[in-house]
Amino acid sequence: MTDYKQSEQANSLWGGRFKGGVSDIMEKINASIDFDKVLYRQDIKGSIEHCKMLITKDIISEPDGEAILGGLAQIKKEIESGDFNFDVTLEDIHMNIEHRLSEIIGQAAGRLHTGRSRNDQVAVDFKLYVRDACDQADEALKGLQLALINVAKENADTIMPGFTHLQSAQPVTFGHHMLAYFEMFTRDRSRFADARKRLNECPLGAAALAGTSFAIDRQQTARALGFDRPTYNSMDSVADRDFALEFMAAASISAIHVSRLAEELVMWSCAQFNYISMSDSFTTGSSIMPQKRNPDAAELCRGKSGRIIGSLNSLLVTMKGLALTFSKDMQEDKEATFDAVETYALIIAALTGMIEDMKVNKEQMLASTNKGFITATDLADWIVRVLGLPFRKAHHITGSLVALAEKKGCDLDGLTLQEMQTIESLINDDVFNVLSVENSVASRVSYGGTAPSEVLKQVAVALKRVG
Ligand code: ARG
């Protein structure tokens, strides 16, 4: 049999019915104070507005209300100066604060909880927290986007290989590549904005699940806390954690974008690519191999994306079987969400730092376009445009020319006109104009294409779109 200690004292908040205390194991499994103390600011803010509303509606007297407001202000100061004693036997942040309030102002503290329950209280606190997290994510992403735009502008005509299947495909500009990520982060920002808009209904006043018989004014508290309106249904109000899921879903998708760029930074900074160099700020050395400069920050951005996706999954699975309305399972929402919020902020900051910090090795990028017959599509397009042959035929001829160059051990522009004519007699001198990577990228002027002129236009548009 498990040997556990039993506390003697019944809980001060529901001790009317309970005579004995809880076992130490119960205390351990039940308590959330170690992590939900993060919510103290939101909890106090919610309580202040609830209290003001109770005063306005004459549900509590003004002297009691003033005492509560004064006590809450003092508690905030105590917490922020480190003078607050968080007590695990008081389970969570809500009960720790209420208990301390009763120590400061006595009996009147018991009136604060009129017309509300911890169920709507925790929902409103958590929503306020996630709403802030959406705003912070937006701000951080904006910073990252500005960093990307800067690099894009400076590298509008920096030529590099564009890849599909990680095989040289067509030459592109590095600026264009950076702006591809700008688009991903633009969509991420709109996902956070969308989540924020949907969450912005106030659950306070839903009480335990059914609403309350007190004549509360939910419009007043909703407005005071910056919500667009109160939630429509009291049961949904306390059972809903979609807002945390939506934040983590948006963060997970965004973390995948972070991870893909991080993977490219890892790849680009290795000696074989050498497309970029990273400074001491975001790399580490090896304890045994003196030549090494490891891109740890990029690797950790890639690695931590898994952790954010894990948090999303953790809460999805927690919620999936819960009958309405609140169940204690839902207390498991917090550690996952807090960790996702903090991890996400960290990887965006690290990625922004690396983008600002990296040195672009333009010559090396250009030099590596000399491999892989990267202008083959330009050649096929030229055969269509100038010789008037169908694209399928042009594709075939180009394939034969690639094979010939491969055999000769040169690139396409290393073939002589005579050699080309052995494959297709109509080919003329003009072909050499399209075989250079410079001409290739310059020709890609379709809207959203990789031509330097087009990238510069998109840089200007991006600067407006970033907000
Ligand atoms: N600590 C709880 C949580 O984090 C607060 C809500 C408790 N409600 C209840 N009926 N026990 O979700």
Side-chain angles (χ1 to χ4, degrees):
M1 230 198 94
T2 319
D3 181 25
Y4 59 82
K5 287 194 217 82
Q6 183 83 24
S7 88
E8 307 272 297
Q9 287 232 313
N11 186 293
S12 60
L13 295 179
W14 53 74
R17 162 132 193 235
F18 290 71
K19 295 294 166 248
V22 295
S23 78
D24 57 346
I25 296 170
M26 175 58 190
E27 194 172 282
K28 195 166 176 193
I29 197 171
N30 202 34
S32 55
I33 186 62
D34 282 348
F35 47 86
D36 70 14
K37 60 173 118 177
V38 170
L39 294 176
Y40 80 88
R41 220 177 307 110
Q42 289 83 357
D43 196 66
I44 290 173
K45 195 167 163 188
S47 289
I48 287 173
E49 295 311 330
H50 181 67
C51 177
K52 285 184 182 166
M53 182 276 293
L54 294 176
I55 301 171
T56 319
K57 298 297 289 180
D58 271 334
I59 298 170
I60 63 174
S61 72
E62 204 158 330
D64 281 349
E66 290 305 329
I68 290 170
L69 294 174
L72 289 170
Q74 179 180 330
I75 291 171
K76 186 161 185 242
K77 276 200 205 114
E78 287 177 1
I79 295 177
E80 288 175 351
S81 61
D83 292 336
F84 192 92
N85 176 33
F86 292 102
D87 182 354
V88 68
T89 65
L90 291 164
E91 197 182 314
D92 58 22
I93 186 65
H94 325 293
M95 299 214 285
N96 267 270
I97 289 177
E98 190 180 325
H99 179 80
R100 177 72 189 123
L101 189 62
S102 71
E103 285 178 351
I104 300 171
I105 67 168
Q107 285 263 317
R111 298 193 186 278
L112 172 59
H113 215 51
T114 314
R116 80 171 183 188
S117 141
R118 263 194 303 157
N119 294 349
D120 58 336
Q121 188 180 355
V122 72
V124 77
D125 292 2
F126 200 29
K127 270 196 169 182
L128 289 171
Y129 173 89
V130 173
R131 191 173 72 186
D132 282 348
C134 288
D135 293 340
Q136 283 153 16
D138 186 70
E139 213 29 55
L141 282 170
K142 182 178 169 181
L144 173 56
Q145 287 185 307
L146 288 170
L148 289 167
I149 294 173
N150 258 335
V151 178
K153 194 173 170 192
E154 304 220 318
N155 293 280
D157 58 0
T158 302
I159 296 173
M160 70 181 289
F163 299 95
T164 61
H165 313 264
L166 203 55
Q167 308 283 317
S168 283
Q170 294 174 351
V172 295
T173 47
F174 189 57
H176 197 50
H177 198 127
M178 290 292 101
L179 289 184
Y181 282 103
F182 173 86
E183 293 306 319
M184 296 176 228
F185 295 122
T186 300
R187 290 194 294 275
D188 294 343
R189 287 179 72 187
S190 83
R191 268 183 280 271
F192 284 118
D194 199 38
R196 188 195 197 284
K197 199 156 82 205
R198 212 170 0 260
L199 78 67
N200 211 27
E201 293 178 350
C202 185
L204 192 58
L209 76 163
T212 175
S213 56
F214 291 100
I216 60 171
D217 183 352
R218 294 191 59 208
Q219 299 286 348
Q220 179 182 329
T221 43
R223 221 176 306 119
L225 293 168
F227 289 99
D228 298 331
R229 46 162 295 105
T231 47
Y232 287 92
N233 181 296
S234 64
M235 294 177 77
D236 176 57
S237 307
V238 297
D240 170 37
R241 290 296 180 269
D242 290 5
F243 57 91
L245 290 171
E246 283 200 52
F247 175 87
M248 287 195 280
S252 292
I253 295 173
S254 185
I256 285 173
H257 300 147
V258 170
S259 184
R260 291 181 77 172
L261 180 47
E263 162 61 13
E264 299 212 90
L265 297 181
V266 170
M267 225 168 62
W268 292 340
S269 63
C270 81
Q272 285 68 21
F273 269 87
N274 193 28
Y275 286 3
I276 58 166
S277 307
M278 290 209 249
S279 80
D280 297 358
S281 311
F282 291 96
T283 52
T284 63
S286 158
S287 54
I288 175 165
M289 297 162 283
Q291 86 283 10
K292 292 199 63 166
R293 177 184 287 286
N294 296 327
D296 290 35
E299 293 168 88
L300 285 163
C301 282
R302 194 177 56 191
K304 284 178 189 290
S305 65
R307 187 163 157 163
I308 294 171
I309 296 163
S311 294
L312 168 64
N313 275 303
S314 154
L315 185 56
L316 282 170
V317 178
T318 297
M319 297 304 293
K320 79 173 270 294
L322 299 185
L324 297 190
T325 51
F326 179 87
S327 295
K328 198 62 177 257
D329 313 45
M330 289 163 67
Q331 183 167 285
E332 292 294 309
D333 57 3
K334 289 180 203 63
E335 282 164 294
T337 307
F338 294 163
D339 191 71
V341 167
E342 282 161 26
T343 305
Y344 181 73
L346 183 58
I347 64 175
I348 295 294
L351 186 60
T352 307
M354 286 187 284
I355 295 297
E356 285 169 346
D357 172 77
M358 71 184 176
K359 183 177 154 288
V360 180
N361 302 333
K362 300 187 183 195
E363 315 69 40
Q364 176 59 25
M365 285 187 182
L366 179 64
S368 84
T369 60
N370 283 335
K371 299 182 193 101
F373 313 105
I374 201 162
T375 52
T377 316
D378 298 270
L379 175 54
D381 287 350
W382 179 87
I383 294 171
V384 171
R385 208 172 46 244
V386 178
L387 305 187
L389 299 180
F391 184 78
R392 283 290 157 231
K393 179 102 204 289
H395 186 286
H396 193 82
I397 294 167
T398 307
S400 306
L401 289 166
V402 166
L404 186 63
E406 208 167 19
K407 202 160 117 211
K408 194 180 163 190
C410 65
D411 210 340
L412 284 169
D413 60 0
L415 293 173
T416 65
L417 184 58
Q418 288 76 5
E419 282 166 333
M420 291 195 200
Q421 285 171 343
T422 62
I423 307 276
E424 172 51 60
S425 59
L426 290 174
I427 295 178
N428 61 47
D429 246 2
D430 182 53
V431 73
F432 290 102
N433 288 325
V434 298
L435 295 181
S436 81
V437 288
E438 287 81 2
N439 287 345
S440 171
V441 294
S443 73
R444 301 276 195 259
V445 289
S446 55
Y447 185 82
T450 201
S453 58
E454 202 49 39
V455 172
L456 284 177
K457 270 188 227 162
Q458 291 300 339
V459 161
V461 175
L463 276 172
K464 287 203 189 109
R465 288 167 65 205
V466 85

